[in-house]
């Protein structure tokens, strides 16, 4: 089966930046990741590179910032009270942490400066402005269930586990 919109893809990946330094590797985690294609679960440049591929394919894809996490936006610093951080007292400059958004989600930010009651953060994604290189191995491809499509994410092992209602 070829990868298309509403396919569930299980894949291994390694991610490196322009320097060649590895940033992430799915083989060092809980196993391959699962992605529902066409629902914003991966960056656009990677998703386009997956389309038309099949289980067993292994390839490299280079993704420019515009198709990844965008260009860095200068002036994207914000001062936030420490109480809004889970581990505010332990944060140090250069660390990546999560900050709650007004919409109820989470946003990755980089700590720029830590004061006694506030923390200055860079709102750019930590990988913004970088050209990214992915080494991909597609493990499996299947059609998504109607429920997965409706929810916009993969269910079951490697995906989201919803509590069963009785």
């Amino acid at each position: 089966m070829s990868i298309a919109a509403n396919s569930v893809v299980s894949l291994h990946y390694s991610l490196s930046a322009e320097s060649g330094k590895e940033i992430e590797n799915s083989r060092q985690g809980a196993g391959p990741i699962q992605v529902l294609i066409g629902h914003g679960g991966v960056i656009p440049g990677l998703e386009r590179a997956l389309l038309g591929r099949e289980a067993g394919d292994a390839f490299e894809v280079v993704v420019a910032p515009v198709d990844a996490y965008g260009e860095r936006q200068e002036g994207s610093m914000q001062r936030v009270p420490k109480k809004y951080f889970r581990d505010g007292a332990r944060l140090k400059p250069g660390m990546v942490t999560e900050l709650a958004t007004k919409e109820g989600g989470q946003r990755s930010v980089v700590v720029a400066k830590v004061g006694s009651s506030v923390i200055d953060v860079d709102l750019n994604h930590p990988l913004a402005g970088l050209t990214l290189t992915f080494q991909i191995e597609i493990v499996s491809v299947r059609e998504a269930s109607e429920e997965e499509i409706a929810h916009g994410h993969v269910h079951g092992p490697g995906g989201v586990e919803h509590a069963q209602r009785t």
Side-chain angles (χ1 to χ4, degrees):
M1 174 179 177
S2 292
I3 298 171
N6 297 323
S7 297
V8 173
V9 180
S10 176
L11 61 89
H12 275 293
Y13 72 96
S14 68
L15 166 62
S16 57
E18 297 160 349
S19 66
K21 179 183 176 199
E22 187 174 86
I23 298 169
E24 292 179 2
N25 188 328
S26 66
R27 293 185 188 279
Q28 297 171 349
I33 64 165
Q34 296 206 35
V35 177
L36 176 59
I37 300 299
H39 293 264
V42 295
I43 59 174
L46 178 56
E47 186 168 88
R48 279 195 303 276
L50 291 169
L51 294 173
R53 306 275 185 165
E54 298 180 354
D57 286 355
F59 60 97
E60 177 179 284
V61 61
V62 177
V63 182
V66 68
D67 291 322
Y69 296 98
E71 297 292 346
R72 290 191 55 74
Q73 302 296 314
E74 296 306 318
S76 290
M77 300 295 283
Q78 185 172 344
R79 182 161 284 167
V80 180
K82 268 189 184 176
K83 68 182 181 181
Y84 291 107
F85 295 91
R86 189 174 315 137
D87 294 326
R90 296 180 19 207
L91 294 174
K92 298 191 180 338
M95 294 176 79
V96 176
T97 189
E98 297 294 318
L99 185 61
T101 65
K102 291 177 185 175
E103 296 80 27
Q106 296 285 316
R107 179 178 188 158
S108 293
V109 296
V110 179
V111 175
K113 183 180 176 184
V114 178
S116 60
S117 63
V118 296
I119 297 176
D120 291 346
V121 295
D122 181 347
L123 298 175
N124 285 295
H125 187 282
L127 300 178
L130 298 177
T131 297
L132 305 174
T133 301
F134 291 87
Q135 299 293 330
I136 303 293
E137 178 191 345
I138 300 171
V139 177
S140 65
V141 180
R142 67 171 173 82
E143 290 184 29
S145 70
E146 288 181 24
E147 185 178 42
E148 288 172 319
I149 294 167
H151 289 187
H153 56 248
V154 179
H155 290 172
V160 175
E161 299 285 348
H162 291 290
Q164 295 295 321
R165 295 181 189 190
T166 56

